[in-house]
Amino acid sequence: MKTVPRRCLCTRRVLVYFLIINVTCLGLVLLVLYDRVSNNQNHVHRAEFERWKRIRDDFDKYQKNEANKADTMKKTLRGRQMDAVLSFDEIGKTNITQENENVKKRIAAEQLRMDEAVKSADLPLDHIPPVPEFSDIDIVPYLSEDLISPYLVLPKHGNHVLYNQSIVILTPICDVEHLLEQFMNAIKNLTYPHTHISVYLGEDSSSDLTLNRAKLLAKDLVLNHGFRDAGAFHFNYTGGIHGDWTRIHSKENQLERRAHMAHARNDLLSLGMRKGHFDQVLWIDSDVKYLPSDLIQQLLFARADVVVTSCLYKEGRFKKLYDRNSWRETPTSIENQKTLPVDILLVEGYSHSSRIFLPDLKAEGRIVPLDGVGGCVLMVKAECHRKGLNFPEKIYKHHIETEGLAKMATNMGFSVRGLPWLEVFHNF
Ligand SMILES: Nc1nc2c(ncn2[C@@H]2O[C@H](COP(=O)(O)OP(=O)(O)OP(=O)(O)O)[C@@H](O)[C@H]2O)c(=O)[nH]1
Ligand SMILES: *[C@@H]1O[C@H](CO)[C@@H](O)[C@H](O)[C@H]1NC(C)=O
Ligand SMILES: *[C@@H]1O[C@H](CO)[C@@H](O)[C@H](O)[C@H]1NC(C)=O
Ligand SMILES: *[C@@H]1O[C@H](CO)[C@@H](O)[C@H](O)[C@H]1NC(C)=O
Ligand SMILES: *[C@@H]1O[C@H](CO)[C@@H](O)[C@H](O)[C@H]1NC(C)=O
Ligand SMILES: [Mg+2]
């Protein structure tokens, strides 16, 4: 009788041990499983981190470069630069398979557009190319005249209100003695009533006779070509980036170069606004080679606060994109900017773009919304400038100068538009 409860106790103990062993084993199995899963995740996080680190190191390299240029880099110029590049959108992406497929698709589409653009030099396209996801080819296809003309017609009988606006053309100049004659010829060629146009050129930092030549040619505009007023003015400071093409366009020089350009434009703007009460401010760079003669009528037709033309250049048989500052943001480029530290300047033209450049927006029509503008040919309602719109001299929403102006204009509620069908040509 006494042994029964003992046996019973023994069985219970065995059961308890058994249970403990089971729970321990289960725990071990779970631990191993968890470790494998989290190890996998660590892998992904690690890759992610490495990507970030590469980008951060890239920034640090630029900063060091800039610090080394202490003699030219003013203390007020602080900032870091990077491409507005596609590779940047790798951040946050964990599905590499998907990513590779997207890249493959993108390259295939790019190849098709390239083939079509090349062929168009012999036989202009008879269709408008659809707007691409990203602008990735430089060649701008030729289109048949029948396709183009509807996008450039103007009202027959000069719209009284439209063509009765006073225009001030403002052009910053530096070391362009050899280009001024060509520039002035393009200005003289404009068919908008010259009595409604004043022209002011703002010079600084030149080491040639730009100022003297500009003064002579400005006088000629008034005396012999009926312009309302014209003049060339020297600003007594130096700065910016000058010299050969590589120096001007090297990526690490862009912040300094564009900041100085913004300053030069703003000073010229103040001067221009003191010269009279104008309706429109038209910025034209001195290195344009060809302007359509009805340029001003076309720009006024857009009835926008800020409006730009396509700015291209000719290389051999091809028309190519010159101005990479006139663009539309894409969901990708917007996403990229969300994670950017505020002091990063985005610069286009140094790698693939995640944006759409103006000439690629033809399929959208004659007047299209933009998010960035260049200064090649840029018209701004004088009223916007009077309300405070100017060229940011420091990084403003990741941009500066003309692109900064577009961001600022949008922020102030002004319309920013581009005319993809209207083409001006830049020197090369
Ligand atoms: N006042 C002033 N004007 C400048 C300076 N640097 C360039 N410019 C002028 O500003 C306009 C735009 O400068 P560009 O150097 O053509 O700028 P960009 O078209 O972006 O670049 P490029 O590829 O060199 O043509 C031109 O009319 C230049 O002559 C400067 O330091 N001061
Ligand atoms: C990654 O993308 C591929 C291809 O679209 C898809 O088959 C796969 O399921 C995706 N994987 C994950 C984890 O989302
Ligand atoms: C516009 O036209 C009117 C006449 O219709 C004229 O009085 C006025 O001076 C013109 N404005 C400009 C800026 O030329
Ligand atoms: C230009 O500026 C410098 C220094 O800022 C000054 O010494 C010089 O007198 C100025 N020249 C003219 C012509 O104003
Ligand atoms: C002047 O206008 C004509 C006619 O549009 C054009 O053919 C010519 O190339 C223009 N010249 C310049 C320098 O823009
Ligand atoms: Mg230029």
Side-chain angles (χ1 to χ4, degrees), residues 102-247:
N102 288 345
V103 169
K104 263 190 233 154
K105 257 188 227 155
R106 186 183 156 148
I107 290 171
E110 183 181 329
Q111 193 57 53
L112 281 180
R113 276 197 293 280
M114 179 69 96
D115 292 346
E116 189 176 76
V118 168
K119 279 188 206 138
S120 78
D122 295 320
L123 186 64
L125 304 187
D126 59 3
H127 66 276
I128 306 169
V131 176
E133 191 185 356
F134 306 109
S135 284
D136 39 23
I137 66 165
D138 279 2
I139 301 180
V140 176
Y142 290 93
L143 306 187
S144 75
E145 272 309 313
D146 294 351
L147 271 182
I148 298 170
S149 48
Y151 292 94
L152 293 176
V153 288
L154 287 166
K156 270 265 155 53
H157 302 288
N159 180 327
H160 199 68
V161 181
L162 210 54
Y163 302 148
N164 183 14
Q165 298 202 17
S166 60
I167 315 286
V168 58
I169 294 179
L170 297 181
T171 302
I173 49 173
C174 173
D175 290 337
V176 286
E177 192 189 345
H178 60 298
L179 291 178
L180 282 173
E181 190 136 347
Q182 164 198 281
F183 171 75
M184 290 298 189
N185 284 340
I187 300 286
K188 287 176 204 164
N189 216 6
L190 297 174
T191 55
Y192 193 79
H194 291 182
T195 48
H196 288 48
I197 310 177
S198 300
V199 182
Y200 302 114
L201 301 95
E203 182 276 343
D204 67 72
S205 312
S206 292
S207 54
D208 64 2
L209 295 177
T210 292
L211 184 65
N212 293 5
R213 187 110 194 90
K215 281 188 169 161
L216 280 175
L217 289 167
K219 217 171 255 172
D220 176 56
L221 283 185
V222 178
L223 293 180
N224 302 318
H225 300 278
F227 283 79
R228 183 161 122 186
D229 191 24
F233 303 87
H234 172 64
F235 291 99
N236 184 20
Y237 47 71
T238 57
I241 300 290
H242 308 283
D244 62 31
W245 199 89
T246 349
R247 183 171 147 69

Side-chain angles (χ1 to χ4, degrees), residues 179-394:
L179 291 178
L180 282 173
E181 190 136 347
Q182 164 198 281
F183 171 75
M184 290 298 189
N185 284 340
I187 300 286
K188 287 176 204 164
N189 216 6
L190 297 174
T191 55
Y192 193 79
H194 291 182
T195 48
H196 288 48
I197 310 177
S198 300
V199 182
Y200 302 114
L201 301 95
E203 182 276 343
D204 67 72
S205 312
S206 292
S207 54
D208 64 2
L209 295 177
T210 292
L211 184 65
N212 293 5
R213 187 110 194 90
K215 281 188 169 161
L216 280 175
L217 289 167
K219 217 171 255 172
D220 176 56
L221 283 185
V222 178
L223 293 180
N224 302 318
H225 300 278
F227 283 79
R228 183 161 122 186
D229 191 24
F233 303 87
H234 172 64
F235 291 99
N236 184 20
Y237 47 71
T238 57
I241 300 290
H242 308 283
D244 62 31
W245 199 89
T246 349
R247 183 171 147 69
I248 290 174
H249 292 284
S250 83
K251 192 160 85 171
E252 60 274 16
N253 281 339
Q254 293 316 297
L255 181 64
E256 190 178 348
R257 181 173 86 99
R258 304 283 306 275
H260 179 79
M261 281 307 307
H263 184 58
R265 287 188 196 277
N266 284 335
D267 278 359
L268 182 55
L269 177 62
S270 308
L271 184 148
M273 299 302 255
R274 285 196 305 270
K275 289 279 184 185
H277 192 90
F278 300 102
D279 297 314
Q280 305 282 346
V281 180
L282 174 55
W283 297 90
I284 306 181
D285 281 351
S286 58
D287 46 5
V288 294
K289 198 178 206 137
Y290 163 79
L291 299 174
S293 52
D294 60 0
L295 175 74
I296 296 179
Q297 292 90 324
Q298 292 281 353
L299 289 166
L300 289 174
F301 183 81
R303 291 176 183 277
D305 295 321
V306 176
V307 58
V308 285
T309 66
S310 284
C311 178
L312 314 179
Y313 71 104
K314 282 232 172 81
E315 190 175 67
R317 301 182 308 143
F318 301 116
K319 287 195 293 191
K320 289 186 167 180
L321 177 71
Y322 194 88
D323 192 327
R324 288 163 193 281
N325 299 338
S326 297
W327 39 251
R328 163 90 53 81
E329 298 280 22
T330 64
T332 303
S333 69
I334 291 168
E335 189 60 33
N336 289 349
Q337 290 171 66
K338 276 187 193 156
T339 53
L340 274 188
V342 288
D343 65 338
I344 299 292
L345 174 69
L346 287 178
V347 286
E348 286 288 354
Y350 297 87
S351 188
H352 287 292
S353 180
S354 56
R355 283 153 170 169
I356 305 168
F357 294 122
L358 179 57
D360 282 334
L361 290 165
K362 291 194 184 72
E364 280 189 13
R366 181 168 180 167
I367 304 161
V368 305
L370 286 183
D371 299 299
V373 300
C376 195
V377 167
L378 163 65
M379 189 180 261
V380 182
K381 256 191 199 138
E383 201 49 38
C384 300
H385 279 317
R386 281 191 280 268
K387 284 180 177 158
L389 180 64
N390 67 8
F391 298 91
E393 296 173 26
K394 292 180 180 165

Side-chain angles (χ1 to χ4, degrees), residues 95 97-98 101:
N95 194 336
T97 322
Q98 179 70 55
E101 262 164 40

